[in-house]
Amino acid sequence: MKFIARWIATAIAAAAAIHLVPGVALVGGSGWGALAVFALVLAFVDAVIKPIFKVISLPITFITLGLFSLLINTIMLYVASSLSGGLFGVSLEIAGFGSAFLCSIIISIVSAITSALFSD
C-alpha cells in the first residue's frame, strides 16, 4: 500500500513538473496513462536504485552539506526516463541539464507534500 501511495504522489509531482518546467515534455503517449507509466518507473527507481546511489555518494553528500542529493535526484530522473522509454515507450524529453535539475527539484517538493498528505 505504501508503494501505491508513493506512485500516486510521484504521478502528481511529475504532472506538476511537466506542466511547470519549460523544456520538459512527456513523449510516447498522452494523458494520464502515459504519466502513470512514467511515474511507476520513477517510483521504482527512487525505491530501488536511489538508495544505492545515496550510500555510495555519502561522503560527497556530507562534504557538500546535502546539496549533492539534488544531483542524485536529477540523475534518477534521467535513469527513469531512459528506462521507461526503453521498456514502455514513454519517456521525458528533457531539453538540458537545467530543465532536468529544476524538474527534479519540483518533483521532490511536490512528492514530499503529497506523500505527507497520503501518509497514515
Side-chain angles (χ1 to χ4, degrees):
M1 189 67 172
K2 189 175 182 179
F3 185 78
I4 293 172
R6 182 184 297 196
W7 179 25
I8 293 170
T10 304
I12 294 169
I18 290 168
H19 181 71
L20 293 174
V21 177
V24 176
L26 195 60
V27 176
S30 61
W32 288 102
L35 184 64
V37 168
F38 175 73
L40 178 65
V41 173
L42 184 59
F44 177 76
V45 166
D46 282 346
V48 176
I49 299 173
K50 188 176 177 180
I52 297 169
F53 270 77
K54 282 196 165 202
V55 169
I56 291 171
S57 67
L58 194 59
I60 297 170
T61 305
F62 182 73
I63 291 171
T64 61
L65 302 175
L67 292 176
F68 191 73
S69 64
L70 296 173
L71 184 63
I72 291 173
N73 288 343
T74 306
I75 293 169
M76 293 302 112
L77 187 65
Y78 277 119
V79 168
S81 179
S82 66
L83 274 177
S84 67
L87 294 174
F88 303 108
V90 176
S91 66
L92 282 184
E93 182 179 294
I94 303 171
F97 180 78
S99 295
F101 189 73
L102 184 58
C103 188
S104 69
I105 290 173
I106 290 173
I107 288 175
S108 297
I109 291 170
V110 174
S111 181
I113 291 170
T114 54
S115 292
L117 292 175
F118 286 137
S119 68
D120 295 357

